[in-house]
Amino acid sequence: MTVTIVGSQLGDEGKGALVDLWGGNADIVVRYQGGDNAGHTVVEGGEEYKLSLVPSGAVRGKVGILGNGCVVNPRTLFDELDTLRERGLDPDVRVARRAHVIMPYHRVLDGIEEEAKSDDDLEAGTTGRGIGPTYEDKVGRRGIRVGDLLDPDVLRDRLEYVVPQKRAIVEDVFGLEAGEEFDIDALHEEFAAVGRRLAEENMTVNAGDFLGNELDDGSNLLFEGAQGTSIDIDHGIYPYVTSSNPTAGGASTGTGVGPTVVGQGEVVGIVKAYLSRVGTGPLPTELDGADEDLADYIREKGGEFGTVTGRPRRIGWLDVPMLRHAARVSGFTGIAVNHLDVLAGLDEVKVGDAYELDGERLETMPATTERWAECEPILKSFDPWPEVDWAAVADDGYDALPDGAQTYLDYVSDEVGAPIYAVGVGPDRAETIELADPFERTA
Ligand code: GDP
Ligand code: IMO
Ligand code: MG
């Protein structure tokens, strides 16, 4: 059976924490899209792990798979594995042979294109990891796949076709100098060695077959979404998006497990109790202008600084039309709401309940980002809840939550049309109130 974890908003909803919590009942944790643009945090007994590529199940010693829908930077992967080993973990990560490889030139091109777009305010504020250029090459049928690294002749053929084109883009389109990242021999040497290491460590896999066999044997698979619905390439606020499908459909195309299998399982939307955003683009419920002090307060209290880049995150009230959109796109069977503790002690808690656009009330997101930018949030106020001993509340369960927080959660669950499976009241695994284990619901 499968459980799919999906970000409901703009990324950084606390997916890593829930993957860690429910990973206890999983046999295998699978990333199905994205790459090292992700930054997933797991805190266990005060130990903090920040994972960008290794699936979060590694903290619990689960087998991790990077599915075919991922883009893999081998340098990051090996660095992260080495760091985890130095910290005493023994991660077992296998990479789909169909996954695409982020090459050094992809990172360079990511930077160049963001810079060029910034003249027209069209840059997405990417993480600079080369994600977009790698997916472009995948779709353009000129990418390099993990399987290609295993055969030096295939790798050379691929490089000889693609690298001169990349060099020409840098030199002839952008008028810049192409560096060593565009040197075929150097690339071949480095990436053939990557292929040898992957083979020696038995790290590559035909992921779809492997996962299919595991399912036949009764294994529990946890699909770990990265990013979030509103930065999905199809369903997000284009062009201020990432280049993959974090939504639940991606769990099928990005792993080789059929949509009927994913759909028989649970799909859990992870919701942050307010909004945070690294990157550019409109944000109707943003706390800015007169509300900047409040945004600063929430940012500091919630530690809202990018896991990957350290950038301060923009802050907004919960955007409920965004959640309704997310629930439909992915078909949430349940949700987890995190960061309830961060909103404690405010004078007033608000949400964007709907939008006003051209004098009309909208319950969900318009399809173009330009129209979304014109939306005025219709705010709804909630009674605040006090600061309490969250560790004690986490021990005592849902009924121990302050009344105001319960009212807020009931409202969110009603609007999204899905029950609450977990509530986060702090970063640690022990600071999560678990109402349901999705693996037990699918059993
Ligand atoms: P992800 O990308 O969705 O996995 O989320 P990130 O790890 O990038 O960002 C979430 C941050 O919030 C991390 O620092 C987590 O440790 C922390 N966190 C997760 N859940 C909670 C919660 O319920 N309360 C608080 N205060 N922090 C949380
Ligand atoms: P996790 O998995 C938040 C944002 C970037 C930028 C846009 C495109 O930790 O939730 P990219 O580098 O992917 O081409 O950048 O997407 N972004 C994220 N924002 N959390 C993430 O991952 C993100 N991954 C990418 O800031 O706006
Ligand atoms: Mg993150």
Side-chain angles (χ1 to χ4, degrees), residues 133-166:
T134 307
Y135 279 113
E136 275 179 52
D137 280 354
K138 168 179 175 170
V139 178
R141 297 169 296 198
R142 66 182 94 81
I144 293 177
R145 304 206 295 179
V146 169
D148 300 336
L149 304 183
L150 304 176
D151 183 331
D153 295 333
V154 173
L155 176 62
R156 181 159 286 278
D157 286 349
R158 296 276 188 272
L159 289 170
E160 280 180 356
Y161 175 74
V162 75
V163 174
Q165 292 185 14
K166 300 295 164 190

Coordinates of all heavy atoms in Angstrom, one line a residue, residues 133-166:
P133 N 16.7 23.9 -16.0 CA 17.4 23.5 -17.2 C 17.5 22.0 -17.4 O 17.6 21.4 -18.5 CB 18.8 24.1 -17.0 CG 18.5 25.3 -16.2 CD 17.4 24.9 -15.2
T134 N 17.6 21.2 -16.3 CA 17.7 19.7 -16.4 C 16.3 19.2 -16.9 O 16.3 18.3 -17.7 CB 18.1 19.1 -15.0 OG1 19.2 19.8 -14.6 CG2 18.3 17.6 -15.1
Y135 N 15.2 19.7 -16.3 CA 13.9 19.2 -16.8 C 13.7 19.6 -18.3 O 13.1 18.9 -19.0 CB 12.8 19.7 -15.9 CG 12.6 18.9 -14.7 CD1 12.8 19.4 -13.4 CD2 12.1 17.5 -14.7 CE1 12.6 18.6 -12.2 CE2 11.9 16.8 -13.6 CZ 12.2 17.3 -12.4 OH 12.0 16.6 -11.2
E136 N 14.2 20.8 -18.6 CA 14.1 21.2 -20.0 C 14.8 20.2 -20.9 O 14.2 19.8 -22.0 CB 14.8 22.6 -20.3 CG 14.1 23.8 -19.9 CD 15.0 25.0 -20.2 OE1 15.6 25.1 -21.3 OE2 15.1 25.8 -19.3
D137 N 15.9 19.8 -20.6 CA 16.7 18.8 -21.4 C 16.0 17.5 -21.4 O 16.0 16.7 -22.4 CB 18.1 18.7 -20.9 CG 19.0 19.8 -21.4 OD1 18.5 20.6 -22.2 OD2 20.2 19.9 -21.1
K138 N 15.4 17.1 -20.3 CA 14.6 15.8 -20.2 C 13.5 15.9 -21.3 O 13.3 15.0 -22.1 CB 14.0 15.7 -18.8 CG 13.0 14.6 -18.7 CD 12.5 14.4 -17.3 CE 11.3 13.4 -17.2 NZ 11.0 13.1 -15.8
V139 N 12.7 17.0 -21.2 CA 11.6 17.1 -22.1 C 12.0 17.3 -23.6 O 11.4 16.9 -24.5 CB 10.6 18.2 -21.7 CG1 9.5 18.4 -22.6 CG2 10.1 17.9 -20.3
G140 N 13.2 17.9 -23.7 CA 13.8 18.2 -25.0 C 14.5 17.0 -25.6 O 15.1 17.1 -26.7
R141 N 14.5 15.9 -24.9 CA 15.1 14.6 -25.3 C 16.6 14.7 -25.6 O 17.1 14.1 -26.5 CB 14.3 14.1 -26.6 CG 12.9 13.7 -26.2 CD 12.0 13.5 -27.4 NE 12.0 14.7 -28.3 CZ 11.1 14.9 -29.2 NH1 10.2 13.9 -29.4 NH2 11.0 16.0 -29.9
R142 N 17.2 15.6 -24.8 CA 18.7 15.7 -24.9 C 19.3 15.6 -23.5 O 20.4 16.0 -23.3 CB 19.0 17.0 -25.6 CG 18.7 18.2 -24.8 CD 19.1 19.5 -25.6 NE 17.9 20.0 -26.3 CZ 16.9 20.7 -25.8 NH1 16.9 21.0 -24.6 NH2 15.9 21.1 -26.6
G143 N 18.5 15.0 -22.6 CA 19.1 14.9 -21.2 C 20.0 13.7 -21.0 O 20.1 12.8 -21.9
I144 N 20.7 13.7 -19.9 CA 21.5 12.5 -19.6 C 20.9 11.8 -18.4 O 20.6 12.5 -17.4 CB 23.0 13.0 -19.2 CG1 23.5 13.6 -20.6 CG2 23.8 11.9 -18.7 CD1 24.9 14.2 -20.5
R145 N 20.7 10.5 -18.5 CA 20.0 9.8 -17.4 C 21.0 9.1 -16.6 O 22.2 8.8 -17.0 CB 19.0 8.8 -18.0 CG 18.0 9.6 -18.9 CD 16.7 8.9 -19.0 NE 16.7 7.6 -19.7 CZ 15.6 6.8 -19.8 NH1 14.5 7.2 -19.4 NH2 15.8 5.6 -20.4
V146 N 20.6 8.7 -15.4 CA 21.5 8.0 -14.5 C 22.0 6.7 -15.2 O 23.2 6.4 -15.1 CB 20.7 7.6 -13.2 CG1 21.5 6.6 -12.3 CG2 20.5 8.9 -12.4
G147 N 21.2 6.0 -15.9 CA 21.6 4.8 -16.7 C 22.7 5.1 -17.7 O 23.5 4.2 -17.9
D148 N 22.7 6.3 -18.2 CA 23.7 6.7 -19.2 C 25.1 6.8 -18.6 O 26.1 6.6 -19.3 CB 23.4 8.0 -19.9 CG 22.1 8.0 -20.6 OD1 21.6 6.9 -21.0 OD2 21.5 9.1 -20.8
L149 N 25.1 7.1 -17.3 CA 26.4 7.2 -16.6 C 27.1 5.8 -16.5 O 28.3 5.8 -16.3 CB 26.3 7.8 -15.2 CG 25.5 9.1 -15.1 CD1 25.5 9.6 -13.7 CD2 26.2 10.2 -16.0
L150 N 26.3 4.8 -16.6 CA 26.9 3.4 -16.4 C 27.6 2.9 -17.6 O 28.3 1.9 -17.6 CB 25.8 2.5 -16.0 CG 25.0 2.9 -14.8 CD1 23.8 1.9 -14.6 CD2 25.8 3.0 -13.5
D151 N 27.5 3.6 -18.7 CA 28.1 3.2 -20.0 C 28.9 4.4 -20.6 O 28.3 5.3 -21.1 CB 27.0 2.7 -21.0 CG 27.6 2.2 -22.3 OD1 28.7 2.7 -22.6 OD2 27.0 1.3 -22.9
P152 N 30.2 4.3 -20.4 CA 31.1 5.5 -20.8 C 30.9 5.9 -22.3 O 31.0 7.1 -22.6 CB 32.5 5.0 -20.6 CG 32.4 3.9 -19.7 CD 31.0 3.3 -19.9
D153 N 30.6 4.9 -23.2 CA 30.4 5.3 -24.6 C 29.1 6.0 -24.8 O 29.1 7.0 -25.5 CB 30.4 4.0 -25.5 CG 31.8 3.3 -25.4 OD1 32.8 4.0 -25.2 OD2 31.8 2.1 -25.6
V154 N 28.0 5.6 -24.2 CA 26.7 6.3 -24.3 C 26.9 7.7 -23.7 O 26.4 8.7 -24.3 CB 25.6 5.5 -23.5 CG1 24.3 6.3 -23.5 CG2 25.4 4.1 -24.2
L155 N 27.6 7.8 -22.5 CA 27.8 9.1 -21.9 C 28.5 10.0 -22.9 O 28.1 11.2 -23.0 CB 28.5 8.9 -20.6 CG 28.9 10.2 -19.9 CD1 27.6 11.0 -19.5 CD2 29.8 9.9 -18.6
R156 N 29.5 9.5 -23.5 CA 30.3 10.4 -24.4 C 29.4 10.8 -25.6 O 29.4 12.0 -25.9 CB 31.5 9.7 -25.0 CG 32.4 10.6 -25.9 CD 33.8 10.2 -26.0 NE 34.6 10.5 -24.9 CZ 35.2 11.7 -24.6 NH1 35.0 12.7 -25.4 NH2 36.0 11.8 -23.6
D157 N 28.6 9.9 -26.2 CA 27.7 10.3 -27.3 C 26.8 11.4 -26.8 O 26.5 12.4 -27.5 CB 26.9 9.1 -27.7 CG 27.7 8.1 -28.5 OD1 28.9 8.5 -28.9 OD2 27.2 7.0 -28.7
R158 N 26.2 11.2 -25.6 CA 25.2 12.2 -25.1 C 25.9 13.6 -25.0 O 25.3 14.6 -25.4 CB 24.6 11.8 -23.8 CG 23.8 10.5 -23.8 CD 22.4 10.8 -24.2 NE 21.6 9.6 -24.0 CZ 21.5 8.6 -25.0 NH1 22.0 8.7 -26.1 NH2 20.8 7.5 -24.7
L159 N 27.1 13.6 -24.4 CA 27.8 14.8 -24.1 C 28.1 15.5 -25.4 O 28.0 16.7 -25.5 CB 29.0 14.6 -23.2 CG 28.8 14.2 -21.8 CD1 30.1 13.7 -21.1 CD2 28.2 15.4 -21.0
E160 N 28.6 14.7 -26.4 CA 29.0 15.3 -27.6 C 27.9 16.0 -28.4 O 28.1 17.0 -29.1 CB 29.8 14.3 -28.5 CG 31.2 14.2 -27.9 CD 32.1 13.2 -28.7 OE1 31.6 12.5 -29.6 OE2 33.3 13.1 -28.3
Y161 N 26.7 15.5 -28.2 CA 25.5 16.1 -28.8 C 25.1 17.4 -28.1 O 24.9 18.4 -28.7 CB 24.3 15.1 -28.8 CG 23.1 15.8 -29.4 CD1 23.0 16.1 -30.7 CD2 22.1 16.3 -28.5 CE1 21.9 16.8 -31.2 CE2 21.0 16.9 -29.0 CZ 20.9 17.2 -30.4 OH 19.8 17.9 -30.9
V162 N 25.1 17.3 -26.7 CA 24.4 18.4 -26.0 C 25.3 19.5 -25.6 O 24.9 20.7 -25.6 CB 23.6 17.8 -24.8 CG1 24.6 17.4 -23.6 CG2 22.6 18.7 -24.3
V163 N 26.5 19.2 -25.3 CA 27.4 20.3 -24.7 C 27.7 21.4 -25.6 O 27.6 22.6 -25.3 CB 28.7 19.7 -24.1 CG1 29.6 20.8 -23.6 CG2 28.3 18.7 -22.9
P164 N 27.9 21.1 -26.9 CA 28.1 22.3 -27.9 C 26.9 23.2 -27.9 O 27.1 24.4 -28.1 CB 28.4 21.6 -29.2 CG 29.0 20.3 -28.8 CD 28.2 19.8 -27.6
Q165 N 25.7 22.6 -27.8 CA 24.5 23.5 -27.8 C 24.5 24.4 -26.6 O 24.1 25.5 -26.7 CB 23.3 22.6 -27.9 CG 23.1 21.8 -29.1 CD 21.8 21.0 -29.2 OE1 20.9 21.3 -28.4 NE2 21.7 20.1 -30.1
K166 N 24.8 23.8 -25.5 CA 24.8 24.6 -24.2 C 25.8 25.7 -24.3 O 25.6 26.8 -23.8 CB 25.1 23.6 -23.0 CG 24.1 22.5 -22.9 CD 22.7 23.1 -22.5 CE 21.6 22.0 -22.8 NZ 20.3 22.6 -22.7

